[in-house]
Coordinates of all heavy atoms in Angstrom, one line a residue:
M1 N 0.8 -1.1 -0.1 CA 0.0 0.0 -0.1 C 0.9 1.3 0.0 O 1.8 1.3 0.9 CB -0.9 -0.1 1.3 CG -1.9 1.1 1.4 SD -2.9 1.0 2.7 CE -2.2 2.2 3.8
I2 N 0.6 2.1 -0.9 CA 1.4 3.3 -0.9 C 0.5 4.5 -0.3 O -0.7 4.6 -0.6 CB 1.7 3.8 -2.5 CG1 2.6 2.7 -3.0 CG2 2.4 5.1 -2.4 CD1 2.9 2.8 -4.5
K3 N 1.2 5.3 0.6 CA 0.4 6.3 1.4 C 0.5 7.6 0.5 O 1.4 7.7 -0.3 CB 1.2 6.6 2.6 CG 0.8 5.8 3.7 CD 1.4 6.3 5.1 CE 0.9 5.4 6.3 NZ 1.4 6.1 7.5
N4 N -0.5 8.3 0.7 CA -0.6 9.7 0.1 C 0.6 10.4 0.6 O 1.0 10.4 1.7 CB -1.9 10.4 0.6 CG -2.1 11.8 0.0 OD1 -1.1 12.5 -0.2 ND2 -3.4 12.1 0.0
K5 N 1.1 11.4 -0.3 CA 2.4 12.1 0.0 C 2.1 13.0 1.3 O 3.1 13.3 2.1 CB 2.8 12.9 -1.1 CG 4.2 13.5 -1.0 CD 4.6 14.2 -2.3 CE 4.0 15.6 -2.5 NZ 4.6 16.7 -1.9
N6 N 0.8 13.4 1.5 CA 0.6 14.4 2.5 C 0.0 13.6 3.8 O -0.4 14.2 4.8 CB -0.5 15.4 2.1 CG 0.0 16.2 1.0 OD1 1.2 16.6 1.0 ND2 -0.8 16.5 0.0
A7 N 0.0 12.3 3.8 CA -0.5 11.5 4.9 C 0.5 11.6 6.1 O 1.7 11.8 5.8 CB -0.7 10.1 4.5
Y8 N 0.0 11.5 7.3 CA 0.9 11.5 8.5 C 1.6 10.1 8.5 O 1.1 9.2 7.9 CB 0.1 11.6 9.7 CG -0.4 13.0 9.9 CD1 -1.5 13.5 9.3 CD2 0.4 13.7 10.9 CE1 -1.9 14.8 9.7 CE2 0.0 15.1 11.1 CZ -1.1 15.7 10.5 OH -1.5 17.0 10.8
K9 N 2.8 10.2 8.8 CA 3.7 9.0 8.9 C 4.1 8.7 10.3 O 4.3 9.6 11.2 CB 5.0 9.2 8.0 CG 4.6 9.4 6.5 CD 5.8 9.4 5.6 CE 5.4 9.4 4.3 NZ 6.4 9.8 3.4
T10 N 4.3 7.4 10.5 CA 4.8 6.9 11.9 C 6.3 7.2 12.1 O 7.1 7.6 11.1 CB 4.5 5.4 12.0 OG1 5.4 4.7 11.1 CG2 3.1 5.0 11.8
I11 N 6.7 7.2 13.3 CA 8.1 7.5 13.6 C 9.1 6.5 12.8 O 10.1 7.0 12.4 CB 8.4 7.4 15.2 CG1 9.8 8.0 15.5 CG2 8.1 5.9 15.7 CD1 9.9 8.3 17.1
G12 N 8.7 5.3 12.8 CA 9.5 4.3 12.0 C 9.7 4.7 10.5 O 10.7 4.6 9.9
E13 N 8.5 5.0 9.9 CA 8.6 5.4 8.5 C 9.4 6.6 8.3 O 10.2 6.6 7.3 CB 7.1 5.7 8.0 CG 6.2 4.5 7.9 CD 4.8 4.9 7.6 OE1 4.3 5.7 8.1 OE2 4.1 4.0 6.9
V14 N 9.3 7.6 9.1 CA 10.0 8.8 9.1 C 11.6 8.6 9.2 O 12.3 9.1 8.5 CB 9.6 9.9 10.1 CG1 10.5 11.2 10.0 CG2 8.2 10.3 9.8
A15 N 11.9 7.8 10.2 CA 13.3 7.5 10.5 C 14.0 6.8 9.2 O 15.0 7.1 8.9 CB 13.5 6.6 11.8
K16 N 13.2 5.9 8.6 CA 13.7 5.1 7.6 C 13.9 6.2 6.4 O 14.9 6.2 5.6 CB 12.8 4.0 7.2 CG 13.2 3.1 6.2 CD 12.2 2.0 5.7 CE 12.1 1.0 6.8 NZ 11.2 -0.2 6.5
E17 N 12.8 7.1 6.2 CA 12.8 8.0 5.0 C 14.0 9.0 5.1 O 14.6 9.3 4.0 CB 11.5 8.8 5.1 CG 11.4 9.7 3.8 CD 10.0 10.3 3.8 OE1 8.9 9.7 4.1 OE2 9.9 11.5 3.4
I18 N 14.3 9.4 6.2 CA 15.4 10.4 6.3 C 16.8 9.7 6.5 O 17.8 10.4 6.6 CB 15.2 11.5 7.4 CG1 15.1 11.0 8.8 CG2 13.9 12.3 7.0 CD1 15.1 12.2 9.7
G19 N 16.8 8.4 6.7 CA 18.1 7.6 6.7 C 18.6 7.6 8.0 O 19.9 7.6 8.2
L20 N 17.9 7.6 9.1 CA 18.4 7.4 10.5 C 18.6 5.9 10.8 O 17.7 5.2 11.5 CB 17.4 8.0 11.5 CG 17.5 9.5 11.7 CD1 16.4 10.0 12.6 CD2 18.9 10.0 12.1
I21 N 19.7 5.3 10.3 CA 20.0 3.9 10.6 C 21.2 3.8 11.4 O 22.2 4.5 11.2 CB 20.2 3.3 9.2 CG1 19.1 3.5 8.1 CG2 20.4 1.8 9.4 CD1 17.8 3.0 8.4
D22 N 21.1 3.1 12.4 CA 22.2 2.9 13.4 C 23.3 2.1 12.7 O 23.0 1.0 12.1 CB 21.7 2.0 14.6 CG 22.7 2.0 15.7 OD1 24.0 1.9 15.4 OD2 22.4 2.0 16.9
K23 N 24.5 2.7 12.5 CA 25.5 2.1 11.8 C 26.0 0.7 12.4 O 26.5 -0.2 11.8 CB 26.8 3.1 11.7 CG 26.3 4.2 10.8 CD 27.6 5.0 10.3 CE 27.2 6.2 9.6 NZ 25.9 6.8 9.6
K24 N 25.9 0.5 13.7 CA 26.4 -0.6 14.3 C 25.5 -1.8 14.1 O 26.0 -3.0 13.7 CB 26.5 -0.4 15.9 CG 27.5 0.5 16.4 CD 27.5 0.6 17.9 CE 28.6 1.7 18.3 NZ 28.0 2.7 19.2
N25 N 24.2 -1.7 14.3 CA 23.4 -2.8 14.1 C 22.4 -2.8 12.9 O 21.6 -3.8 12.7 CB 22.5 -3.2 15.4 CG 21.6 -1.9 15.7 OD1 21.3 -1.1 14.9 ND2 21.3 -1.9 17.0
G26 N 22.5 -1.7 12.2 CA 21.6 -1.6 11.0 C 20.2 -1.4 11.3 O 19.4 -1.4 10.3
K27 N 19.7 -1.1 12.5 CA 18.3 -0.9 12.8 C 18.0 0.5 12.6 O 18.8 1.4 12.8 CB 18.0 -1.4 14.1 CG 18.1 -2.8 14.3 CD 17.7 -3.4 15.7 CE 17.6 -4.9 15.8 NZ 17.7 -5.3 17.1
I28 N 16.7 0.8 12.5 CA 16.1 2.2 12.3 C 16.3 2.8 13.7 O 16.0 2.2 14.8 CB 14.7 2.1 12.0 CG1 14.6 1.5 10.6 CG2 14.1 3.6 12.0 CD1 13.2 1.3 10.1
S29 N 16.7 4.1 13.7 CA 17.1 4.7 15.1 C 15.9 5.8 15.4 O 16.2 7.0 15.2 CB 18.4 5.5 14.8 OG 18.9 6.2 15.9
T30 N 14.8 5.3 15.9 CA 13.7 6.1 16.3 C 14.0 7.0 17.4 O 13.4 8.0 17.6 CB 12.4 5.3 16.5 OG1 12.7 4.4 17.5 CG2 12.0 4.7 15.2
H31 N 14.9 6.5 18.4 CA 15.1 7.3 19.6 C 15.7 8.7 19.2 O 15.6 9.7 19.9 CB 16.0 6.5 20.5 CG 17.4 6.3 20.0 ND1 17.6 5.3 19.2 CD2 18.6 7.0 20.2 CE1 19.0 5.4 18.8 NE2 19.5 6.3 19.4
T32 N 16.5 8.8 18.1 CA 17.1 10.0 17.7 C 15.9 11.0 17.4 O 16.1 12.3 17.8 CB 17.9 9.9 16.4 OG1 18.8 8.8 16.7 CG2 18.6 11.1 16.1
L33 N 14.9 10.7 16.8 CA 13.7 11.5 16.5 C 13.1 12.1 17.8 O 12.7 13.2 17.9 CB 12.7 10.9 15.6 CG 13.1 10.5 14.2 CD1 12.0 9.8 13.4 CD2 13.5 11.7 13.5
R34 N 13.0 11.2 18.8 CA 12.4 11.6 20.0 C 13.3 12.6 20.7 O 12.7 13.6 21.3 CB 12.2 10.3 21.0 CG 11.0 9.5 20.5 CD 10.6 8.5 21.5 NE 10.1 7.4 20.8 CZ 11.0 6.3 20.5 NH1 12.2 6.2 20.8 NH2 10.4 5.3 19.8
F35 N 14.6 12.4 20.6 CA 15.5 13.3 21.2 C 15.4 14.7 20.6 O 15.4 15.7 21.1 CB 17.0 12.8 21.1 CG 18.1 13.8 21.5 CD1 18.2 14.0 22.8 CD2 18.8 14.4 20.6 CE1 19.1 15.0 23.3 CE2 19.8 15.3 21.0 CZ 20.0 15.5 22.4
W36 N 15.4 14.7 19.1 CA 15.3 15.9 18.4 C 14.0 16.7 18.7 O 13.9 17.9 18.8 CB 15.4 15.7 16.9 CG 16.8 15.4 16.4 CD1 17.9 15.3 17.2 CD2 17.1 14.8 15.1 NE1 19.0 14.9 16.4 CE2 18.5 14.5 15.2 CE3 16.4 14.6 13.9 CZ2 19.2 14.2 14.0 CZ3 17.1 14.1 12.8 CH2 18.5 13.9 12.9
E37 N 12.9 15.9 19.1 CA 11.6 16.6 19.4 C 11.9 17.4 20.6 O 11.2 18.6 20.8 CB 10.6 15.5 19.8 CG 9.8 15.1 18.6 CD 8.8 14.0 19.0 OE1 8.2 14.1 20.2 OE2 8.7 13.1 18.3
K38 N 12.7 16.9 21.6 CA 12.8 17.7 22.8 C 13.9 18.9 22.5 O 13.6 19.9 23.2 CB 13.6 16.8 23.8 CG 12.7 15.7 24.4 CD 13.5 15.0 25.6 CE 12.7 13.9 25.9 NZ 13.1 12.6 25.4
E39 N 14.8 18.8 21.7 CA 15.7 19.8 21.4 C 15.1 21.0 20.4 O 15.4 22.1 20.7 CB 17.0 19.3 20.7 CG 17.8 18.4 21.5 CD 18.4 19.2 22.7 OE1 18.8 20.3 22.6 OE2 18.4 18.5 23.9
F40 N 14.3 20.5 19.5 CA 13.8 21.5 18.5 C 12.4 21.6 18.7 O 11.4 20.8 18.4 CB 14.1 21.0 17.1 CG 15.6 20.8 16.8 CD1 16.2 19.5 16.8 CD2 16.5 21.9 16.7 CE1 17.5 19.4 16.6 CE2 17.8 21.8 16.4 CZ 18.3 20.5 16.4
K41 N 11.9 22.7 19.3 CA 10.5 23.0 19.7 C 9.7 23.1 18.5 O 8.4 23.0 18.6 CB 10.5 24.2 20.6 CG 11.3 24.1 21.9 CD 10.7 23.0 22.8 CE 11.6 22.9 23.9 NZ 11.8 21.4 24.4
Q42 N 10.2 23.4 17.3 CA 9.4 23.5 16.1 C 8.7 22.2 15.7 O 7.8 22.1 15.0 CB 10.2 23.9 15.0 CG 10.8 25.2 15.1 CD 12.3 25.2 15.7 OE1 12.6 24.3 16.4 NE2 13.1 26.1 15.2
L43 N 9.3 21.0 16.2 CA 8.9 19.7 15.9 C 7.6 19.4 16.7 O 7.8 19.3 18.0 CB 9.9 18.7 16.0 CG 10.9 18.5 15.0 CD1 12.0 17.5 15.5 CD2 10.3 18.0 13.7
K44 N 6.4 19.3 16.2 CA 5.3 19.0 16.9 C 4.4 17.9 16.3 O 3.4 18.0 15.6 CB 4.4 20.2 16.8 CG 4.9 21.4 17.6 CD 4.4 21.6 19.0 CE 4.8 22.8 19.7 NZ 6.1 22.8 20.3
P45 N 5.0 16.5 16.4 CA 4.2 15.4 15.8 C 2.8 15.3 16.6 O 2.8 15.6 17.7 CB 5.1 14.3 16.0 CG 5.9 14.6 17.2 CD 6.0 16.2 17.1
K46 N 1.9 14.8 15.8 CA 0.6 14.5 16.6 C 0.8 13.2 17.4 O 1.4 12.2 17.0 CB -0.5 14.2 15.5 CG -1.2 15.4 15.0 CD -2.4 15.0 14.3 CE -3.1 16.1 13.5 NZ -3.3 17.3 13.9
I47 N 0.5 13.2 18.7 CA 0.6 12.1 19.5 C -0.8 11.6 19.8 O -1.5 12.3 20.5 CB 1.5 12.4 20.8 CG1 2.8 12.9 20.4 CG2 1.5 11.1 21.7 CD1 3.7 13.2 21.5
L48 N -1.1 10.4 19.2 CA -2.4 9.9 19.3 C -2.3 8.6 20.2 O -1.4 8.4 21.0 CB -2.9 9.6 17.9 CG -3.1 10.7 17.0 CD1 -3.5 10.2 15.6 CD2 -4.0 11.7 17.6
N49 N -3.4 7.8 20.2 CA -3.6 6.7 21.0 C -2.4 5.9 21.4 O -1.6 5.5 20.5 CB -4.7 5.8 20.4 CG -4.4 5.3 19.0 OD1 -3.4 5.8 18.4 ND2 -5.2 4.4 18.4
G50 N -2.2 5.7 22.7 CA -1.0 4.9 23.1 C 0.3 5.5 22.8 O 1.3 5.0 22.6
N51 N 0.2 6.9 22.8 CA 1.6 7.6 22.6 C 2.2 7.5 21.3 O 3.5 7.6 21.1 CB 2.7 7.4 23.8 CG 2.4 8.3 24.9 OD1 1.7 9.3 24.7 ND2 3.1 8.1 26.0
R52 N 1.4 7.1 20.4 CA 2.0 6.9 19.0 C 2.2 8.2 18.3 O 1.3 9.1 18.4 CB 1.1 6.0 18.0 CG 1.1 4.6 18.5 CD 0.3 3.8 17.4 NE 0.8 2.4 17.5 CZ 1.6 1.9 16.7 NH1 2.2 2.6 15.8 NH2 2.0 0.7 16.8
R53 N 3.4 8.4 17.7 CA 3.7 9.7 17.1 C 3.4 9.7 15.6 O 3.7 8.7 14.9 CB 5.2 10.0 17.2 CG 5.6 10.4 18.5 CD 7.1 10.4 18.7 NE 7.6 11.1 19.9 CZ 7.4 10.5 21.1 NH1 6.9 9.5 21.2 NH2 7.8 11.3 22.1
Y54 N 2.8 10.7 15.1 CA 2.4 10.8 13.6 C 3.0 12.2 13.2 O 2.7 13.3 13.7 CB 0.9 10.7 13.3 CG 0.4 9.4 13.6 CD1 -0.1 9.0 15.0 CD2 0.5 8.3 12.6 CE1 -0.4 7.7 15.2 CE2 0.1 7.1 12.9 CZ -0.4 6.7 14.2 OH -0.9 5.4 14.4
Y55 N 3.9 12.1 12.1 CA 4.5 13.3 11.6 C 3.9 13.7 10.3 O 3.6 13.0 9.4 CB 6.0 12.9 11.4 CG 6.7 12.5 12.6 CD1 6.8 11.3 13.1 CD2 7.5 13.6 13.3 CE1 7.5 10.9 14.3 CE2 8.2 13.3 14.5 CZ 8.2 12.1 14.9 OH 8.8 11.7 16.1
S56 N 3.7 15.0 10.2 CA 3.1 15.7 9.0 C 4.3 15.9 7.9 O 5.4 15.8 8.3 CB 2.5 17.1 9.3 OG 3.5 17.9 9.7
S57 N 3.9 16.4 6.7 CA 4.9 16.6 5.8 C 5.9 17.6 6.2 O 7.1 17.8 5.9 CB 4.4 16.7 4.5 OG 3.3 17.7 4.4
K58 N 5.2 18.7 6.9 CA 6.0 19.7 7.4 C 7.1 19.4 8.5 O 8.2 19.8 8.4 CB 5.0 20.8 8.0 CG 5.7 22.2 8.2 CD 4.6 23.2 8.8 CE 5.2 23.9 9.9 NZ 4.3 24.2 11.1
D59 N 6.6 18.5 9.3 CA 7.6 17.9 10.3 C 8.7 17.1 9.7 O 9.8 17.2 10.1 CB 6.9 17.0 11.2 CG 5.9 17.6 12.2 OD1 6.2 18.8 12.7 OD2 4.9 17.0 12.6
I60 N 8.4 16.4 8.6 CA 9.3 15.5 7.9 C 10.4 16.5 7.3 O 11.6 16.2 7.3 CB 8.7 14.5 7.0 CG1 7.8 13.6 7.8 CG2 9.7 13.9 6.2 CD1 6.9 12.8 6.9
E61 N 9.9 17.6 6.6 CA 10.8 18.4 5.9 C 11.8 19.1 6.9 O 13.0 19.2 6.7 CB 10.0 19.7 5.3 CG 9.5 19.4 4.0 CD 8.7 20.7 3.5 OE1 9.2 21.8 3.8 OE2 7.7 20.4 2.8
L62 N 11.2 19.5 8.1 CA 12.1 20.0 9.2 C 13.2 19.1 9.6 O 14.3 19.3 9.8 CB 11.3 20.5 10.3 CG 12.0 21.2 11.5 CD1 12.7 22.4 11.0 CD2 11.1 21.6 12.6
L63 N 12.7 17.7 9.8 CA 13.5 16.8 10.2 C 14.7 16.4 9.3 O 15.8 16.2 9.6 CB 12.8 15.4 10.5 CG 12.0 15.4 11.8 CD1 11.1 14.2 11.8 CD2 13.0 15.3 13.0
Q64 N 14.3 16.5 7.8 CA 15.3 16.3 6.9 C 16.4 17.4 7.0 O 17.6 17.1 6.8 CB 14.7 16.2 5.5 CG 13.9 15.0 5.3 CD 13.1 15.0 4.1 OE1 12.5 16.1 3.6 NE2 12.9 13.8 3.4
K65 N 15.9 18.6 7.1 CA 16.8 19.7 7.3 C 17.8 19.6 8.5 O 19.1 19.8 8.4 CB 15.9 21.1 7.5 CG 16.7 22.2 7.1 CD 15.9 23.5 7.1 CE 14.8 23.6 6.0 NZ 13.8 24.6 6.2
V66 N 17.2 19.2 9.7 CA 17.9 18.9 10.8 C 18.9 17.8 10.7 O 20.2 18.0 10.9 CB 17.1 18.6 12.1 CG1 17.9 18.1 13.3 CG2 16.2 19.8 12.5
H67 N 18.6 16.8 10.1 CA 19.5 15.6 9.8 C 20.5 16.0 8.8 O 21.8 15.7 9.2 CB 18.7 14.5 9.1 CG 19.5 13.3 8.8 ND1 20.0 13.1 7.6 CD2 19.8 12.2 9.6 CE1 20.6 11.9 7.6 NE2 20.5 11.4 8.8
F68 N 20.3 16.8 7.8 CA 21.2 17.4 6.9 C 22.3 18.2 7.6 O 23.5 17.9 7.5 CB 20.7 18.1 5.8 CG 21.7 18.7 4.9 CD1 22.4 18.0 3.9 CD2 22.0 20.1 5.0 CE1 23.3 18.6 3.1 CE2 22.8 20.6 4.1 CZ 23.6 20.0 3.2
L69 N 21.8 19.1 8.4 CA 22.8 20.0 9.0 C 23.6 19.3 10.2 O 24.8 19.6 10.3 CB 21.9 21.2 9.7 CG 21.3 22.1 8.7 CD1 20.4 23.1 9.4 CD2 22.3 22.9 7.9
L70 N 23.0 18.4 10.9 CA 23.7 17.6 12.0 C 24.7 16.7 11.4 O 25.9 16.6 11.7 CB 22.8 17.0 13.0 CG 22.0 18.0 13.9 CD1 21.1 17.1 14.6 CD2 22.9 18.7 14.8
K71 N 24.1 15.7 10.6 CA 24.8 14.6 10.1 C 25.8 14.9 8.9 O 27.0 14.5 8.9 CB 23.9 13.5 9.7 CG 23.0 13.1 10.9 CD 23.7 12.4 12.0 CE 22.7 12.0 13.0 NZ 23.2 11.6 14.2
D72 N 25.3 15.7 7.9 CA 26.1 15.9 6.6 C 27.0 17.1 6.9 O 28.1 17.0 6.4 CB 25.2 16.1 5.5 CG 24.3 14.8 5.2 OD1 24.7 13.6 5.7 OD2 23.3 14.9 4.5
Q73 N 26.5 18.1 7.5 CA 27.3 19.3 7.6 C 28.1 19.4 8.9 O 29.0 20.2 9.1 CB 26.5 20.5 7.6 CG 25.6 20.8 6.3 CD 26.5 20.9 5.1 OE1 27.3 21.8 5.1 NE2 26.3 20.1 4.0
G74 N 27.9 18.4 9.8 CA 28.6 18.3 11.1 C 28.4 19.5 12.0 O 29.2 19.7 12.8
M75 N 27.2 20.1 12.0 CA 26.9 21.2 12.9 C 26.6 20.6 14.2 O 26.2 19.5 14.4 CB 25.8 22.0 12.4 CG 26.1 22.8 11.1 SD 24.8 23.9 10.4 CE 24.8 25.1 11.7
T76 N 26.6 21.6 15.2 CA 26.2 21.3 16.6 C 24.6 21.5 16.7 O 24.0 22.2 15.8 CB 26.8 22.1 17.6 OG1 26.5 23.5 17.4 CG2 28.4 21.9 17.6
I77 N 24.0 20.9 17.6 CA 22.6 21.2 17.9 C 22.3 22.7 18.1 O 21.4 23.2 17.5 CB 22.0 20.4 19.2 CG1 21.9 18.9 18.7 CG2 20.8 20.9 19.6 CD1 21.4 17.9 19.6
K78 N 23.2 23.3 18.8 CA 23.2 24.7 19.1 C 23.2 25.4 17.9 O 22.4 26.5 17.6 CB 24.3 25.2 20.0 CG 24.1 26.5 20.8 CD 25.2 26.7 21.9 CE 25.0 28.0 22.6 NZ 26.1 28.2 23.4
G79 N 24.0 25.1 16.9 CA 24.1 25.8 15.6 C 22.9 25.6 14.8 O 22.4 26.5 14.1
V80 N 22.4 24.4 14.7 CA 21.2 24.1 14.0 C 20.0 25.0 14.6 O 19.2 25.5 13.8 CB 20.9 22.7 14.0 CG1 19.5 22.4 13.3 CG2 22.0 21.9 13.3
K81 N 20.0 25.1 16.0 CA 18.8 25.8 16.6 C 18.9 27.3 16.1 O 17.8 27.9 15.8 CB 19.0 25.8 18.1 CG 18.4 24.6 18.7 CD 18.7 24.6 20.2 CE 18.1 23.3 20.9 NZ 18.2 23.4 22.4
K82 N 20.0 27.9 16.0 CA 20.3 29.3 15.6 C 19.7 29.4 14.0 O 19.0 30.4 13.7 CB 21.7 29.7 15.5 CG 22.1 30.1 16.9 CD 23.6 30.6 17.0 CE 24.1 30.8 18.4 NZ 25.4 31.1 18.5
I83 N 20.0 28.6 13.2 CA 19.6 28.6 11.8 C 18.1 28.5 11.7 O 17.5 29.2 10.9 CB 20.3 27.4 11.0 CG1 21.8 27.8 10.8 CG2 19.6 27.1 9.7 CD1 22.6 26.7 10.0
L84 N 17.5 27.5 12.5 CA 16.0 27.4 12.4 C 15.2 28.6 13.0 O 14.1 28.6 12.7 CB 15.7 26.1 13.2 CG 16.2 24.7 12.5 CD1 15.8 23.6 13.3 CD2 15.8 24.6 11.1
K85 N 15.9 29.4 13.9 CA 15.1 30.6 14.4 C 14.7 31.5 13.4 O 15.0 31.8 12.4 CB 15.9 31.2 15.5 CG 15.8 30.4 16.8 CD 16.3 31.1 18.0 CE 16.0 30.3 19.2 NZ 16.7 30.7 20.4

């Protein structure tokens, strides 16, 4: 089943989409997204039944930007926060 581009996505789908894979064990790294939620107040996933997180396309765009700046550009969280303000 293919989801609509604008459909909300689960934390696992988002982590896979932006390439958050643990290099040691090859597993999807969802805890990183939860950590980024605490650090970047702009991230506001919908939290529904049983604390399940659902990310909008706007959230995913922001996460891709954060991932790029932190992982590809080697910036610090503090530096990324300044850019996003």
